[in-house]
Amino acid sequence: MSDYPTDHREQAAAWFRALRDGICAAFEQVEDELIGSDRPAGRFERKEWTRPDPEAGEGPGDGGGGEMSIMRGRVFEKVGVNISTVHGTFSPEFRKSIRGAAGDGKFWASGISLVAHMHSPLVPAVHMNTRHIVTSTAWFGGGADLTPTFPDAEDTAAFHAALEAACRQSPAGDYPRFKKWCDEYFYLPHREEARGVGGIFYDNINTGDWKADMGLTGAVGEAFLDIYPKIVRRHMHERWTPEQRRALLVKRGRYVEFNLIYDRGTLFGLKTGGNTEAILMSLPPEVIWP
Amino acid sequence: MSDYPTDHREQAAAWFRALRDGICAAFEQVEDELIGSDRPAGRFERKEWTRPDPEAGEGPGDGGGGEMSIMRGRVFEKVGVNISTVHGTFSPEFRKSIRGAAGDGKFWASGISLVAHMHSPLVPAVHMNTRHIVTSTAWFGGGADLTPTFPDAEDTAAFHAALEAACRQSPAGDYPRFKKWCDEYFYLPHREEARGVGGIFYDNINTGDWKADMGLTGAVGEAFLDIYPKIVRRHMHERWTPEQRRALLVKRGRYVEFNLIYDRGTLFGLKTGGNTEAILMSLPPEVIWP
């Protein structure tokens, strides 16, 4: 890991922070634009967290930390945007299953993770996450996917097209493969249901050209920042019925089932002593299992 | 497995059915007793399910089936009581991890499983499950545990005392061990919280005396049937506040987290093609992650 230029790590971490700032500003702007609501426009609340640094003699565990940004608004019922940059040593049991960690187990990781649950059953929920991980090797991973309660062909097409265009901006992009990966990953076998209408999912990206790989992750973030607010604006003034809201609450149950039973990031985080509050910020604010 | 007397299997399955009938009748009686409610007393709805029998040429999978009983009442917000008796062959990947299944992988299993989520935040939720499993060996497992939002020392003591008395009725019972096992099992490491106030949990019970082992499981079922309705009656007419109800909905989130992340029965069932509807009947009707 020590051979990997700190400069690249700094660039990646700075991008995730800048993207977070851009997303939070864009989402607050959406909150401001809602017409006819008695409720005040939502604003993000930010909370920092740190992990004890073993090198500073603060005990076992990993160093670094992150920032959670959470907004409970009038369009966004609950949206969490987390960034983190952590480093440390994987415990021996995890080293074998992680690329490049079989030796000394050292890692550095930085990323952004976002989940938005909306008041309106006509506005799709969304998830976006990109990350850069460095062990004895280094790679990028990430993706974005849309979870409508009532799929809208125009939204789905626009979301997919935005991600396809992002993939085309970098030689590291492979949209057909990433789209298929997403469909396979976000699937609930016990329900025989997809979690949503897909998007892209990618991992282990290392073409040997760091700029190209970082370029893919940058383009995915920018595509998300551009397209999702457009989809929200397209539906946020539509009226919905109690039956539609109820369908949303049921759909959210599937989201919980996926995240807690199958999502590798969630389970890995919880079982390796990650920040529980940040990891479970993805859970919906209100859910029913009727 | 073929050496195991069918008679014992039939006795166990008949007991689980009889206990189910007794519990459903007792819970409907509680529904009838609620005073001052505009809503009608709840009644259980029953739904049978079967698995295709491979020996009858109905394709791969296991035979047998079960009955789900679910009530959405005015005291019981959602209560599911499931019985099932299934048989078949474990896939090679599971055989090693299951006692006595390493050979031909054949199994027979029968049991009862119950989870009750209550309208009132002052009435504790409860879980009870007992089962008899036969492979090339045979054993009993089960337990019962209480999950109040606002623990009440008297309820907890009464619940524990009832289970302690049940354990004392059979030489297979070992209350101190089963109580500790329950506390260790129903624990959420990522929250550093117990799921509830405990009870008992036991598994792999085979003393060599089938009557004693079945006697333990019978006594646990009877103790549950006696004590839980008493605890419900003690609180079901108490008034609660919206803040208390909100605390209940948050507490239920922990229940979901436990069942989907850690509960071996839930995960094993979902990943081996069990009946999803029956397995996830344990999930609360309404939950918040604020």
Side-chain angles (χ1 to χ4, degrees):
Chain A
M1 191 174 87
S2 50
D3 298 338
Y4 199 79
T6 300
D7 183 35
H8 281 170
R9 301 206 294 257
E10 285 174 2
Q11 279 183 50
W15 162 253
F16 295 129
R17 178 175 295 271
L19 179 61
R20 188 272 315 270
D21 291 343
I23 288 170
C24 289
F27 287 4
E28 291 185 350
Q29 176 67 30
V30 168
E31 285 284 315
D32 287 341
E33 291 173 19
L34 188 71
I35 295 165
S37 171
D38 296 337
R39 305 185 57 203
R43 286 294 177 263
F44 278 95
E45 287 176 28
R46 198 162 287 175
K47 193 166 167 183
E48 288 186 37
W49 55 273
T50 55
R51 307 177 89 183
D53 186 342
E55 290 168 21
E58 295 178 23
D62 305 330
E67 286 177 14
M68 296 179 270
S69 298
I70 187 160
M71 178 167 72
R72 295 177 186 86
R74 57 189 189 178
V75 179
F76 291 83
E77 187 172 340
K78 179 182 173 190
V79 51
V81 189
N82 294 324
I83 56 171
S84 65
T85 300
V86 297
H87 62 273
T89 310
F90 283 119
S91 66
E93 59 173 311
F94 281 108
R95 287 181 199 178
K96 276 177 244 163
S97 57
I98 292 158
R99 280 159 58 97
D104 61 9
K106 285 204 190 288
F107 73 94
W108 174 96
S110 185
I112 181 168
S113 179
L114 174 158
V115 173
H117 295 286
M118 314 304 284
H119 281 288
S120 169
L122 306 179
V123 179
V126 78
H127 160 250
M128 189 275 295
N129 160 240
T130 53
R131 55 195 175 271
H132 185 32
I133 300 178
V134 181
T135 57
S136 65
T137 179
W139 70 93
F140 287 85
D145 65 291
L146 201 66
T147 306
T149 305
F150 301 100
D152 172 301
E154 202 177 324
D155 291 345
T156 303
F159 191 76
H160 289 179
L163 293 168
E164 184 171 15
C167 288
R168 244 187 273 114
Q169 287 180 47
S170 160
D174 184 347
Y175 179 70
R177 183 170 152 245
F178 297 171
K179 181 180 191 298
K180 184 163 173 277
W181 202 341
C182 182
D183 290 340
E184 288 166 359
Y185 184 81
F186 293 106
Y187 183 76
L188 291 80
H190 68 281
R191 296 287 190 182
E192 298 182 358
E193 283 175 20
R195 185 173 85 169
V197 296
I200 58 170
F201 184 95
Y202 60 94
D203 205 357
N204 304 326
I205 300 296
N206 182 342
T207 61
D209 176 352
W210 189 88
K211 274 190 79 168
D213 299 347
M214 179 71 231
L216 169 67
T217 275
V220 167
E222 281 170 3
F224 171 83
L225 177 53
D226 177 65
I227 192 65
Y228 185 65
K230 286 181 181 162
I231 291 173
V232 175
R233 288 187 176 97
R234 193 179 288 157
H235 299 288
M236 72 187 201
H237 287 108
E238 293 170 1
R239 310 194 107 195
W240 68 83
T241 67
E243 291 70 29
Q244 289 171 324
R245 172 76 187 176
R246 187 178 159 83
L248 168 66
L249 300 185
V250 171
K251 180 78 178 168
R252 285 178 177 172
R254 308 299 205 253
Y255 209 92
V256 173
E257 291 173 22
F258 181 84
N259 283 23
L260 298 184
I261 300 175
Y262 301 109
D263 188 59
R264 290 197 292 259
T266 301
L267 298 176
F268 183 81
L270 293 178
K271 291 178 180 181
T272 55
N275 184 307
T276 295
E277 190 182 356
I279 296 164
L280 295 185
M281 199 181 279
S282 65
L283 296 177
E286 187 185 354
V287 185
I288 62 174
W289 278 277
Chain B
M1 188 174 89
S2 49
D3 298 339
Y4 198 79
T6 300
D7 184 37
H8 281 171
R9 299 206 294 255
E10 284 174 2
Q11 279 183 51
W15 161 252
F16 295 130
R17 178 175 295 273
L19 179 60
R20 187 273 314 269
D21 292 343
I23 288 170
C24 289
F27 287 5
E28 290 184 350
Q29 177 67 28
V30 168
E31 284 285 316
D32 287 341
E33 289 172 20
L34 187 71
I35 295 165
S37 172
D38 296 337
R39 305 186 56 203
R43 286 295 176 263
F44 277 95
E45 287 176 26
R46 198 163 287 175
K47 193 166 166 182
E48 287 186 38
W49 55 274
T50 54
R51 307 176 89 183
D53 187 342
E55 290 168 22
E58 295 178 23
D62 304 329
E67 286 177 14
M68 296 179 270
S69 298
I70 186 161
M71 179 167 71
R72 294 177 186 84
R74 56 189 190 178
V75 178
F76 290 84
E77 187 172 338
K78 179 182 173 190
V79 51
V81 189
N82 293 324
I83 56 171
S84 66
T85 301
V86 298
H87 63 273
T89 310
F90 283 119
S91 65
E93 59 173 308
F94 282 107
R95 287 181 199 177
K96 276 177 244 164
S97 57
I98 292 157
R99 279 159 58 98
D104 62 8
K106 286 204 190 287
F107 73 94
W108 174 97
S110 185
I112 181 168
S113 178
L114 174 157
V115 174
H117 294 286
M118 314 304 284
H119 281 288
S120 169
L122 306 179
V123 179
V126 79
H127 160 251
M128 189 274 295
N129 160 241
T130 54
R131 56 196 174 270
H132 184 33
I133 299 178
V134 181
T135 57
S136 65
T137 179
W139 70 94
F140 287 85
D145 65 291
L146 201 66
T147 306
T149 304
F150 301 101
D152 173 303
E154 204 178 322
D155 292 344
T156 303
F159 191 76
H160 288 178
L163 293 169
E164 184 171 15
C167 289
R168 244 187 273 114
Q169 288 180 46
S170 159
D174 183 347
Y175 178 71
R177 184 170 152 244
F178 297 170
K179 180 179 191 297
K180 185 162 173 276
W181 202 341
C182 182
D183 289 340
E184 288 166 358
Y185 184 80
F186 293 106
Y187 182 76
L188 290 82
H190 68 281
R191 296 287 190 184
E192 298 180 358
E193 283 175 21
R195 186 172 83 168
V197 296
I200 59 170
F201 184 96
Y202 60 94
D203 205 358
N204 305 324
I205 299 297
N206 182 343
T207 61
D209 177 351
W210 189 87
K211 274 189 80 167
D213 299 347
M214 179 71 231
L216 170 67
T217 274
V220 168
E222 280 169 4
F224 171 82
L225 176 53
D226 177 65
I227 192 64
Y228 185 65
K230 286 181 180 161
I231 291 173
V232 175
R233 287 187 175 96
R234 194 179 287 156
H235 299 289
M236 71 187 200
H237 287 107
E238 292 170 2
R239 309 196 106 196
W240 68 83
T241 67
E243 291 69 31
Q244 288 171 325
R245 172 76 188 176
R246 187 178 159 81
L248 167 66
L249 300 184
V250 171
K251 181 78 178 167
R252 285 178 177 173
R254 307 300 205 253
Y255 209 91
V256 174
E257 292 172 21
F258 181 83
N259 283 23
L260 299 184
I261 301 174
Y262 301 108
D263 189 59
R264 288 198 293 261
T266 301
L267 298 175
F268 183 80
L270 293 178
K271 290 177 180 180
T272 55
N275 184 309
T276 295
E277 190 183 355
I279 296 164
L280 295 185
M281 200 181 278
S282 65
L283 296 177
E286 187 185 355
V287 186
I288 63 174
W289 278 276

